[in-house]
């Protein structure tokens, strides 16, 4: 079996079973453990499946149901830490920054130098709670609390954000597909869009697993952000495609 045929067969099996083990693939395809692991790694890097310990998972299995914040924070932690560090490098002393909701954005503080010089605005309760440990000037934008994501949304949130201006804004996404930035909830997306619109510099912060994924609500265009911050291990063909919409930093 040629490599291309083998990769297609792996994707077919994962699509049918949603989760598959390395041993199952070895028995089905009749190739070595090393070959299967190398194939899974390649498919993972190209965004076609998700590698697990001892197997692989169908990406659509993640997309079909919106995971809670507590579930999300346990997934792809190493990749999220890498991207959070990139975002922190954009922050300079004296900045007024907007940080949206998301488990990657919650990690930015870990890599920020001189947080006491910053003004931080957020509608995310977990982000607010993390920054409470610093001497930064901190503003929590209230509204209707959405427990699933840990953020405040709705008309009051929008009203409070409308008059605020930022030097930089950092938002997350549930996925990007071409120039579309996707959210699971319309009101969450509206708050993120307003945070971006009111900033001088606009950044979308996401791990590599968000590429080529749709969700319920298209809240912004990649054409209108200054850069997309992501992982260094993104597949070259994915980078080439998305660099037509915005600057990619990884």
């Amino acid at each position: 079996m040629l490599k291309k045929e083998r990769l297609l067969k792996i994707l077919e099996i994962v699509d049918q079973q949603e989760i598959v083990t390395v041993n199952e693939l070895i028995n089905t395809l009749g190739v070595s453990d090393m070959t299967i692991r190398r194939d899974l790694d390649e498919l993972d890097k190209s965004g076609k499946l998700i590698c697990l310990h001892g197997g692989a998972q169908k990406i659509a299995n993640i997309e079909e149901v919106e995971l809670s914040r507590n579930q999300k924070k346990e997934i792809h932690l190493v990749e999220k830490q890498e991207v959070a560090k990139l975002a922190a490098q954009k922050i300079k002393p004296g900045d007024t920054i907007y940080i949206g909701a998301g488990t990657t954005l919650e990690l930015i503080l870990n890599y920020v130098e001189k947080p006491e010089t910053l003004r931080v605005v957020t509608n995310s309760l977990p982000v607010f709670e993390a920054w409470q440990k610093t001497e930064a000037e901190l503003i929590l934008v209230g509204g209707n609390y959405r427990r699933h994501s840990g953020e405040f949304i709705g008309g009051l949130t929008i009203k409070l954000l409308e008059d605020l201006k930022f030097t930089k804004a950092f938002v997350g996404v549930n996925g990007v597909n071409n120039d579309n930035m996707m959210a699971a909830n319309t009101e969450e997306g509206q708050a993120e869009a307003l945070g971006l619109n009111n900033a001088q510099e606009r950044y979308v912060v996401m791990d590599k697993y968000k590429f080529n994924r749709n969700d319920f609500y298209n809240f912004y265009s990649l054409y209108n952000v200054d850069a997309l911050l992501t992982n260094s291990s993104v597949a070259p063909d994915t980078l080439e495609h998305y660099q037509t919409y915005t600057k990619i930093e990884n």
Side-chain angles (χ1 to χ4, degrees):
M1 183 181 293
L2 297 175
K3 177 181 177 181
K4 184 175 181 180
E5 294 175 313
R6 190 172 67 245
L7 294 177
L8 289 173
K9 185 63 177 177
I10 290 172
L11 288 174
E12 179 184 331
I13 294 170
V14 172
D15 185 63
Q16 291 172 349
Q17 297 183 207
E18 296 194 344
I19 296 178
V20 65
T21 67
V22 169
N23 287 336
E24 287 175 324
L25 293 173
I26 290 171
N27 294 333
T28 301
L29 300 176
V31 295
S32 70
D33 177 279
M34 184 177 294
T35 297
I36 289 297
R37 291 183 187 278
R38 189 164 52 239
D39 288 346
L40 292 178
D41 185 61
E42 181 175 331
L43 292 168
D44 178 281
K45 288 179 177 177
S46 64
K48 294 177 181 175
L49 53 71
I50 296 173
C51 275
L52 304 173
H53 181 68
Q57 180 174 350
K58 177 182 175 183
I59 286 181
N61 195 45
I62 297 294
E63 295 175 343
E64 285 163 4
V65 177
E66 183 192 3
L67 300 182
S68 71
R69 171 189 166 269
N70 287 334
Q71 290 171 313
K72 288 180 179 179
K73 72 179 184 179
E74 302 297 330
I75 299 174
H76 308 311
L77 181 58
V78 172
E79 289 83 359
K80 291 176 179 179
Q81 290 170 332
E82 181 186 12
V83 181
K85 187 173 183 179
L86 276 180
Q89 290 170 357
K90 296 289 182 185
I91 299 171
K92 305 302 178 187
D95 274 341
T96 294
I97 60 175
Y98 170 77
I99 303 179
T103 52
T104 301
L105 299 172
E106 293 169 23
L107 300 172
I108 290 176
L109 173 60
N110 296 338
Y111 309 99
V112 171
E113 296 183 6
K114 299 182 178 179
E116 68 277 5
T117 69
L118 304 173
R119 180 190 288 125
V120 179
V121 180
T122 184
N123 63 323
S124 164
L125 184 58
V127 169
F128 175 81
E129 289 174 337
W131 282 82
Q132 271 189 309
K133 302 170 186 176
T134 75
E135 296 300 317
E137 181 181 342
L138 188 56
I139 299 170
L140 176 63
V141 176
N144 296 327
Y145 183 58
R146 187 169 189 254
R147 289 177 175 81
H148 201 76
S149 58
E151 68 184 296
F152 293 95
I153 58 174
L156 180 57
T157 305
I158 296 301
K159 185 175 179 61
L160 292 170
L161 280 174
E162 279 178 339
D163 295 328
L164 303 180
K165 304 297 179 184
F166 318 107
T167 52
K168 290 157 189 168
F170 301 88
V171 305
V173 293
N174 278 25
V176 296
N177 194 332
N178 296 324
D179 73 307
N180 301 316
M181 294 168 52
M182 312 299 295
N185 177 278
T186 57
E187 292 181 309
E188 287 182 7
Q190 288 165 0
E192 305 288 72
L194 186 54
L196 290 169
N197 283 340
N198 286 359
Q200 296 171 23
E201 296 178 23
R202 305 166 182 177
Y203 299 101
V204 54
V205 182
M206 54 172 261
D207 64 62
K208 65 181 181 179
Y209 300 102
K210 303 293 178 62
F211 284 108
N212 304 317
R213 289 182 58 177
N214 281 312
D215 213 310
F216 178 62
Y217 182 57
N218 172 22
F219 72 92
Y220 215 73
S221 171
L222 284 177
Y223 284 119
N224 295 326
V225 300
D226 290 279
L228 186 157
L229 311 181
T230 191
N231 298 117
S232 57
S233 55
V234 176
D237 57 340
T238 300
L239 281 179
E240 182 179 0
H241 175 71
Y242 282 93
Q243 282 169 343
T244 64
Y245 302 112
T246 191
K247 181 180 181 182
I248 308 291
E249 296 189 17
N250 63 337

